[in-house]
Amino acid sequence: MLGAFLQAVRQAHPLIHCITNYVTVNDCANLLLAAGASPIMADAPEEAAEITARSQGLTLNLGTLQAGRVPVMLASGRQANRSGIPAVLDPVGAGASAFRTRTARQLLEEVRFAVIRGNLSEIQALAAGAGHPCGVDAGDRITPQTLDAALELARQLARRTGAVVAVTGETDLVTDGRAAFCIHNGHPMMRHVTGAGCQLSCLTAAFAAASPGQTLQAAAAAVCAMGLCGEIAYARLAPQEGNAAYRDKILDAVYRLTPAQLEEGARYELR
């Protein structure tokens, strides 16, 4: 089932407008190209909404948030809603500062998002207001003991916002408030690559754009694909190689990933 969503991206080549952070913008662009999509990065107020109108998907990322970017994100988000294209929110660091948390909540109030993708602490900050001052890394982990509670938190946020919520970590959770995927792909070394989550948010926008009306399954397929490519990349590392080589091998794995590989390698359960 999930392999078809990768195939859809390769056939549709959706144009994804990414207002993302300057730490990971190059990797996000390359990952979209590797998946078969087309990236465009435009955050000037004079053109951002116009670029969104010409795109098939939008990603808004709070990673290097600045006050001048907030109205640009809002304008692009509203344009995505008018155009009927999926918008993905990556609330990087929500809960780490009042500015980030306030901005994420403002975006949720004024823009309808197809997907919200974050780590557990970010989702907690949005769903329950219980932020953790931990920067961009998860302050809490999804363990077998906390999985049910984390899934209920994600379901609540999904029902409140109407978005599919993807909580990524050791175990990934993807839910529309009713059905849920518990995904077990990935490798611990992915935490040592800056921006793997940012890349996943852009990939999720591409998968959702290429399969309209199937956002839950498309988001789950993107999460599985990224995790599986993390596994493949780790298996290809030479003993002397580290996180720089690993980053490049993830991109190569995405480029070479086939729908059949994704179908066979995706490890998930439905709840």
mmCIF file of all heavy atoms in Angstrom, residues 107-129:
data_model
loop_
_atom_site.group_PDB
_atom_site.id
_atom_site.type_symbol
_atom_site.label_atom_id
_atom_site.label_comp_id
_atom_site.label_asym_id
_atom_site.label_seq_id
_atom_site.Cartn_x
_atom_site.Cartn_y
_atom_site.Cartn_z
ATOM 1 N N LEU A 107 -0.192 30.378 13.898
ATOM 2 C CA LEU A 107 -0.317 29.698 12.606
ATOM 3 C C LEU A 107 -1.456 28.684 12.627
ATOM 4 O O LEU A 107 -2.228 28.581 11.673
ATOM 5 C CB LEU A 107 1.005 29.017 12.248
ATOM 6 C CG LEU A 107 2.128 29.955 11.786
ATOM 7 C CD1 LEU A 107 3.472 29.246 11.848
ATOM 8 C CD2 LEU A 107 1.855 30.462 10.375
ATOM 9 N N LEU A 108 -1.574 27.945 13.720
ATOM 10 C CA LEU A 108 -2.646 26.960 13.822
ATOM 11 C C LEU A 108 -4.018 27.615 13.848
ATOM 12 O O LEU A 108 -4.998 27.038 13.368
ATOM 13 C CB LEU A 108 -2.453 26.098 15.073
ATOM 14 C CG LEU A 108 -1.314 25.083 15.017
ATOM 15 C CD1 LEU A 108 -1.174 24.382 16.363
ATOM 16 C CD2 LEU A 108 -1.552 24.057 13.918
ATOM 17 N N GLU A 109 -4.097 28.810 14.407
ATOM 18 C CA GLU A 109 -5.373 29.515 14.462
ATOM 19 C C GLU A 109 -5.788 30.083 13.109
ATOM 20 O O GLU A 109 -6.976 30.144 12.790
ATOM 21 C CB GLU A 109 -5.282 30.646 15.488
ATOM 22 C CG GLU A 109 -5.256 30.175 16.935
ATOM 23 C CD GLU A 109 -4.973 31.314 17.897
ATOM 24 O OE1 GLU A 109 -4.856 32.472 17.425
ATOM 25 O OE2 GLU A 109 -4.865 31.056 19.109
ATOM 26 N N GLU A 110 -4.810 30.486 12.307
ATOM 27 C CA GLU A 110 -5.123 31.235 11.091
ATOM 28 C C GLU A 110 -4.932 30.445 9.803
ATOM 29 O O GLU A 110 -5.334 30.913 8.731
ATOM 30 C CB GLU A 110 -4.273 32.512 11.045
ATOM 31 C CG GLU A 110 -4.533 33.433 12.234
ATOM 32 C CD GLU A 110 -3.869 34.786 12.104
ATOM 33 O OE1 GLU A 110 -3.723 35.257 10.953
ATOM 34 O OE2 GLU A 110 -3.492 35.371 13.133
ATOM 35 N N VAL A 111 -4.327 29.265 9.888
ATOM 36 C CA VAL A 111 -4.067 28.441 8.704
ATOM 37 C C VAL A 111 -4.567 27.027 8.969
ATOM 38 O O VAL A 111 -4.385 26.497 10.062
ATOM 39 C CB VAL A 111 -2.563 28.401 8.363
ATOM 40 C CG1 VAL A 111 -2.292 27.486 7.164
ATOM 41 C CG2 VAL A 111 -2.030 29.813 8.098
ATOM 42 N N ARG A 112 -5.217 26.434 7.979
ATOM 43 C CA ARG A 112 -5.605 25.022 8.074
ATOM 44 C C ARG A 112 -4.457 24.176 7.540
ATOM 45 O O ARG A 112 -4.116 24.255 6.356
ATOM 46 C CB ARG A 112 -6.877 24.739 7.254
ATOM 47 C CG ARG A 112 -8.104 25.449 7.759
ATOM 48 C CD ARG A 112 -9.361 24.974 7.032
ATOM 49 N NE ARG A 112 -9.198 24.994 5.579
ATOM 50 C CZ ARG A 112 -9.363 26.055 4.818
ATOM 51 N NH1 ARG A 112 -9.695 27.232 5.359
ATOM 52 N NH2 ARG A 112 -9.209 25.991 3.506
ATOM 53 N N PHE A 113 -3.881 23.373 8.413
ATOM 54 C CA PHE A 113 -2.754 22.537 8.012
ATOM 55 C C PHE A 113 -3.225 21.118 7.701
ATOM 56 O O PHE A 113 -4.089 20.568 8.387
ATOM 57 C CB PHE A 113 -1.696 22.505 9.111
ATOM 58 C CG PHE A 113 -0.913 23.780 9.203
ATOM 59 C CD1 PHE A 113 -1.276 24.768 10.110
ATOM 60 C CD2 PHE A 113 0.156 24.009 8.353
ATOM 61 C CE1 PHE A 113 -0.569 25.954 10.183
ATOM 62 C CE2 PHE A 113 0.869 25.202 8.412
ATOM 63 C CZ PHE A 113 0.497 26.180 9.334
ATOM 64 N N ALA A 114 -2.623 20.548 6.661
ATOM 65 C CA ALA A 114 -2.885 19.152 6.340
ATOM 66 C C ALA A 114 -2.154 18.243 7.311
ATOM 67 O O ALA A 114 -2.685 17.203 7.721
ATOM 68 C CB ALA A 114 -2.460 18.842 4.905
ATOM 69 N N VAL A 115 -0.929 18.635 7.690
ATOM 70 C CA VAL A 115 -0.096 17.821 8.580
ATOM 71 C C VAL A 115 0.659 18.739 9.536
ATOM 72 O O VAL A 115 1.143 19.802 9.141
ATOM 73 C CB VAL A 115 0.922 16.962 7.791
ATOM 74 C CG1 VAL A 115 1.741 16.084 8.743
ATOM 75 C CG2 VAL A 115 0.235 16.104 6.737
ATOM 76 N N ILE A 116 0.746 18.312 10.785
ATOM 77 C CA ILE A 116 1.651 18.905 11.773
ATOM 78 C C ILE A 116 2.682 17.839 12.106
ATOM 79 O O ILE A 116 2.321 16.741 12.522
ATOM 80 C CB ILE A 116 0.908 19.332 13.049
ATOM 81 C CG1 ILE A 116 -0.214 20.312 12.717
ATOM 82 C CG2 ILE A 116 1.878 19.926 14.060
ATOM 83 C CD1 ILE A 116 -1.195 20.515 13.856
ATOM 84 N N ARG A 117 3.974 18.142 11.900
ATOM 85 C CA ARG A 117 5.027 17.144 12.120
ATOM 86 C C ARG A 117 6.041 17.685 13.124
ATOM 87 O O ARG A 117 6.688 18.692 12.880
ATOM 88 C CB ARG A 117 5.721 16.840 10.783
ATOM 89 C CG ARG A 117 6.438 15.505 10.653
ATOM 90 C CD ARG A 117 7.738 15.360 11.390
ATOM 91 N NE ARG A 117 8.648 16.486 11.378
ATOM 92 C CZ ARG A 117 9.611 16.672 12.272
ATOM 93 N NH1 ARG A 117 9.804 15.812 13.255
ATOM 94 N NH2 ARG A 117 10.390 17.739 12.202
ATOM 95 N N GLY A 118 6.144 17.026 14.280
ATOM 96 C CA GLY A 118 7.100 17.481 15.267
ATOM 97 C C GLY A 118 7.536 16.357 16.178
ATOM 98 O O GLY A 118 7.027 15.229 16.090
ATOM 99 N N ASN A 119 8.481 16.662 17.065
ATOM 100 C CA ASN A 119 8.856 15.677 18.066
ATOM 101 C C ASN A 119 7.877 15.771 19.235
ATOM 102 O O ASN A 119 6.982 16.627 19.264
ATOM 103 C CB ASN A 119 10.312 15.822 18.494
ATOM 104 C CG ASN A 119 10.622 17.144 19.175
ATOM 105 O OD1 ASN A 119 9.830 17.686 19.929
ATOM 106 N ND2 ASN A 119 11.821 17.668 18.901
ATOM 107 N N LEU A 120 8.035 14.897 20.215
ATOM 108 C CA LEU A 120 7.031 14.791 21.270
ATOM 109 C C LEU A 120 6.915 16.070 22.085
ATOM 110 O O LEU A 120 5.812 16.517 22.405
ATOM 111 C CB LEU A 120 7.339 13.601 22.172
ATOM 112 C CG LEU A 120 6.345 13.340 23.309
ATOM 113 C CD1 LEU A 120 4.928 13.171 22.773
ATOM 114 C CD2 LEU A 120 6.764 12.106 24.097
ATOM 115 N N SER A 121 8.049 16.705 22.413
ATOM 116 C CA SER A 121 7.975 17.912 23.233
ATOM 117 C C SER A 121 7.276 19.043 22.480
ATOM 118 O O SER A 121 6.537 19.833 23.080
ATOM 119 C CB SER A 121 9.362 18.345 23.693
ATOM 120 O OG SER A 121 10.148 18.786 22.620
ATOM 121 N N GLU A 122 7.498 19.130 21.166
ATOM 122 C CA GLU A 122 6.830 20.169 20.368
ATOM 123 C C GLU A 122 5.328 19.919 20.304
ATOM 124 O O GLU A 122 4.522 20.850 20.426
ATOM 125 C CB GLU A 122 7.448 20.204 18.968
ATOM 126 C CG GLU A 122 8.886 20.701 18.967
ATOM 127 C CD GLU A 122 9.700 20.274 17.768
ATOM 128 O OE1 GLU A 122 9.188 19.494 16.924
ATOM 129 O OE2 GLU A 122 10.870 20.707 17.662
ATOM 130 N N ILE A 123 4.949 18.670 20.099
ATOM 131 C CA ILE A 123 3.524 18.339 20.048
ATOM 132 C C ILE A 123 2.876 18.577 21.414
ATOM 133 O O ILE A 123 1.744 19.063 21.511
ATOM 134 C CB ILE A 123 3.330 16.883 19.584
ATOM 135 C CG1 ILE A 123 3.874 16.711 18.156
ATOM 136 C CG2 ILE A 123 1.864 16.478 19.647
ATOM 137 C CD1 ILE A 123 3.267 17.642 17.117
ATOM 138 N N GLN A 124 3.591 18.262 22.496
ATOM 139 C CA GLN A 124 3.083 18.549 23.833
ATOM 140 C C GLN A 124 2.832 20.042 24.012
ATOM 141 O O GLN A 124 1.817 20.447 24.587
ATOM 142 C CB GLN A 124 4.070 18.065 24.889
ATOM 143 C CG GLN A 124 4.074 16.564 25.106
ATOM 144 C CD GLN A 124 5.156 16.133 26.086
ATOM 145 O OE1 GLN A 124 6.224 16.728 26.133
ATOM 146 N NE2 GLN A 124 4.872 15.110 26.867
ATOM 147 N N ALA A 125 3.757 20.866 23.524
ATOM 148 C CA ALA A 125 3.619 22.309 23.680
ATOM 149 C C ALA A 125 2.377 22.821 22.962
ATOM 150 O O ALA A 125 1.708 23.743 23.438
ATOM 151 C CB ALA A 125 4.856 23.014 23.147
ATOM 152 N N LEU A 126 2.051 22.227 21.812
ATOM 153 C CA LEU A 126 0.890 22.660 21.051
ATOM 154 C C LEU A 126 -0.404 22.065 21.583
ATOM 155 O O LEU A 126 -1.447 22.723 21.614
ATOM 156 C CB LEU A 126 1.052 22.277 19.573
ATOM 157 C CG LEU A 126 2.253 22.891 18.846
ATOM 158 C CD1 LEU A 126 2.230 22.493 17.381
ATOM 159 C CD2 LEU A 126 2.269 24.401 18.992
ATOM 160 N N ALA A 127 -0.336 20.813 22.015
ATOM 161 C CA ALA A 127 -1.557 20.117 22.420
ATOM 162 C C ALA A 127 -1.952 20.426 23.853
ATOM 163 O O ALA A 127 -3.139 20.557 24.157
ATOM 164 C CB ALA A 127 -1.377 18.604 22.255
ATOM 165 N N ALA A 128 -0.965 20.537 24.729
ATOM 166 C CA ALA A 128 -1.285 20.654 26.149
ATOM 167 C C ALA A 128 -0.724 21.905 26.786
ATOM 168 O O ALA A 128 -0.983 22.164 27.951
ATOM 169 C CB ALA A 128 -0.758 19.420 26.894
ATOM 170 N N GLY A 129 0.065 22.674 26.058
ATOM 171 C CA GLY A 129 0.648 23.865 26.627
ATOM 172 C C GLY A 129 1.772 23.591 27.601
ATOM 173 O O GLY A 129 2.207 24.484 28.319
#
